[in-house]
Amino acid sequence: MRLRLALGGVAAVLLMSLGIVIGTAIASPEGAAEAEVDKPYAGKNNSTPFTLPPTTRPAVEATTPEPEPTTEPVATTTKAPSYKKLTARAWKKIAKSPEDYIGDHYVVYGVVTQFDAATGEATFRANVDGVRHSESYEYDTNTILDGYISDLADLVEDDEFRAKVTVSGSYSYDTQIGGNTTAPQLSVDAIEVL
């Protein structure tokens, strides 16, 4: 606000000076030739330069509060994913080509085959299917599952489970016998031991 007042004062001085010089030039054409740029007023009988009296207007600081935003924040609601139930055949199609199903949400069943120091606390290996079986050996698709450590903390090797998962794609890893294998990879969103 003070800057605006100062700029306004400078502008007023310049306008008044310009008006006096132009007024002198109009009133006396020969005086226009004598007018100098560095003297704001150069009349015939005036030898002192013209100065403005000090400003008597008090400096005013802005006391008005900032305006409130007129729009309310947009509430973002994310719709919970819908987990589709699978048939054994539908699961085999996903396991055959997991890259084609990345981001899809399903309910799967399985048995934990490896969950130890080699896999870590957030990843485990399991045999999985799209349907629940009465015997653990009936799950036959080697699958890599990962999730939050807190969600997987109670899970151990040989546990049968039901999980809500999101397909992540495929995962390749070295086997203990020196080979390499690729398996479907699923991200665990929720899991329960059966």
Side-chain angles (χ1 to χ4, degrees), residues 115-129:
F115 202 179
D116 55 21
T119 62
E121 296 180 81
T123 303
F124 65 97
R125 204 168 53 80
N127 289 335
V128 174
D129 202 340

Side-chain angles (χ1 to χ4, degrees), residues 77-135:
T77 56
T78 31
K79 185 179 176 185
S82 175
Y83 295 90
K84 300 174 192 165
K85 293 186 177 185
L86 295 167
T87 63
R89 185 173 193 285
W91 167 249
K92 288 184 187 290
K93 289 176 74 175
I94 294 168
K96 176 182 170 185
S97 183
E99 304 298 326
D100 294 341
Y101 298 90
I102 291 176
D104 290 352
H105 306 283
Y106 299 104
V107 175
V108 296
Y109 298 87
V111 60
V112 179
T113 56
Q114 183 182 5
F115 202 179
D116 55 21
T119 62
E121 296 180 81
T123 303
F124 65 97
R125 204 168 53 80
N127 289 335
V128 174
D129 202 340
V131 295
R132 185 173 182 185
H133 294 288
S134 57
E135 299 295 329

Side-chain angles (χ1 to χ4, degrees), residues 20-36 42-45:
I20 292 170
V21 170
I22 292 174
T24 303
I26 292 172
S28 167
E30 61 273 12
E34 297 173 8
E36 297 176 20
K44 286 185 177 180
N45 295 324

Side-chain angles (χ1 to χ4, degrees), residues 174-180:
D174 295 326
T175 64
Q176 290 180 347
I177 58 172
N180 188 293

Side-chain angles (χ1 to χ4, degrees), residues 14 17 51 62 78 80 144 160 162:
L14 289 175
S17 298
T51 57
T78 31
I144 303 296
E160 289 186 48
R162 174 184 182 267

